[in-house]
Amino acid sequence: MDQVTESLEKSLDLSSFEEMDPSLAEGHHIFYEREVPFELRSAEGTDAPQEVGALEAIKVKILIHGDDSNPTSVRCELSSESNLFFYYYHELDEAGFRHLQEGQKLMVDFSEYAAVLLRMLNHCIKEPHSHLAVFVMHRDGSARLDFIQNMEYKFVELLSCNFQACSEDLVRQQITYRYNVVKSRLALMQARLADVNALVKIKNPSLLLQLQRAPPRITQQKRFN
């Protein structure tokens, strides 16, 4: 997102739309939300997954129920702008985390779990050649996210999280929400543009004609920053 878009977003009140997010319906709040490069792989039944998958920008949302320092549950949701029907979630309470902790010999407490996920996701953004997020999907709707570090001479699995595809009803709610947010944002920006046009028309009509004739300049932006 460039500086112009950011300034427009700040001038438009989108908080009322964000409150309608189905992810927040059960009392969670957003702890982290960014696009992260994932390697997507498919596994057929009990067969091994593809050795090389497709690299895609996946929107990761970490949600916490309760206080950040003392959560009752941590939820991680994955979605994709290129496939609106791609929606997976991972959720743990303290008891579920203890099972994960024992199985993978984690040296952190449940209160630190969300922060650990945040750091690993940010490593995948900032150091994509040495830190990988590999997402393996099965036909039954189950999936697994593996955080892997490339140590040059070997690959080390840092953490593995089980995911599940969201229900059709929840996917429908998410698509409806995202559609309405984009539609509302467009309407607000069009109204803002009309205000700018009216102001320029009064102050400098010839400049407005020049702006309306000139084609918009499109610049290539990085997906991950």
Side-chain angles (χ1 to χ4, degrees), residues 30 105 129 140 155 159 182 196 220 225:
I30 296 174
K105 297 180 173 58
H129 299 295
D140 63 359
F155 290 94
L159 176 66
V182 171
V196 171
Q220 186 69 29
N225 46 42

Side-chain angles (χ1 to χ4, degrees), residues 43-62:
E44 298 292 333
T46 58
D47 295 340
Q50 300 167 278
E51 289 190 6
V52 179
L55 191 66
E56 187 171 327
I58 298 297
K59 185 175 183 179
V60 183
K61 190 185 294 183
I62 299 176

Side-chain angles (χ1 to χ4, degrees), residues 17-117:
F17 304 119
E18 293 169 355
E19 291 171 1
M20 297 163 57
D21 187 348
S23 300
L24 310 180
E26 296 178 0
H28 292 79
H29 64 272
I30 296 174
F31 178 75
Y32 176 92
E33 187 174 15
R34 288 189 74 176
E35 278 194 335
V36 182
F38 275 36
E39 186 178 321
L40 303 182
R41 301 182 184 179
S42 298
E44 298 292 333
T46 58
D47 295 340
Q50 300 167 278
E51 289 190 6
V52 179
L55 191 66
E56 187 171 327
I58 298 297
K59 185 175 183 179
V60 183
K61 190 185 294 183
I62 299 176
L63 303 121
I64 290 179
H65 194 279
D67 296 332
D68 289 357
S69 58
N70 186 28
T72 55
S73 70
V74 174
R75 182 180 176 95
C76 182
E77 296 180 351
L78 308 178
S79 60
S80 169
E81 289 300 319
S82 62
N83 179 3
L84 292 179
F85 293 89
F86 177 99
Y87 220 96
Y88 287 83
Y89 75 96
H90 159 81
E91 187 164 13
L92 288 180
D93 57 13
E94 191 163 4
F97 176 77
R98 279 200 299 270
H99 181 74
L100 177 72
Q101 185 182 44
E102 292 169 3
Q104 301 188 36
K105 297 180 173 58
L106 302 180
M107 304 299 290
V108 295
D109 296 324
F110 181 55
S111 60
E112 303 169 90
Y113 184 50
V116 168
L117 290 174

Side-chain angles (χ1 to χ4, degrees), residues 95-199:
F97 176 77
R98 279 200 299 270
H99 181 74
L100 177 72
Q101 185 182 44
E102 292 169 3
Q104 301 188 36
K105 297 180 173 58
L106 302 180
M107 304 299 290
V108 295
D109 296 324
F110 181 55
S111 60
E112 303 169 90
Y113 184 50
V116 168
L117 290 174
L118 180 153
R119 285 197 300 271
M120 291 194 176
L121 291 163
N122 282 342
H123 279 314
C124 294
I125 294 172
K126 296 174 182 176
E127 306 169 59
H129 299 295
S130 59
H131 288 78
L132 313 173
V134 179
F135 192 66
V136 181
M137 299 166 287
H138 297 268
R139 297 188 68 178
D140 63 359
S142 63
R144 188 183 73 250
L145 174 59
D146 297 327
F147 290 103
I148 299 171
Q149 185 174 3
N150 182 356
M151 306 288 288
E152 294 186 1
Y153 56 92
K154 67 176 180 177
F155 290 94
V156 178
E157 186 176 293
L158 304 176
L159 176 66
S160 182
C161 309
N162 290 325
F163 279 75
Q164 183 65 41
C166 293
S167 65
E168 289 186 10
D169 183 56
L170 183 55
V171 171
R172 217 168 18 244
Q173 290 178 39
Q174 288 288 352
I175 292 174
T176 301
Y177 164 71
R178 290 159 74 181
Y179 172 83
N180 287 333
V181 167
V182 171
K183 185 178 178 182
S184 299
R185 184 182 286 116
L186 176 61
L188 288 170
M189 288 190 170
Q190 286 176 333
R192 174 67 174 155
L193 179 61
D195 291 341
V196 171
N197 282 344
L199 180 61

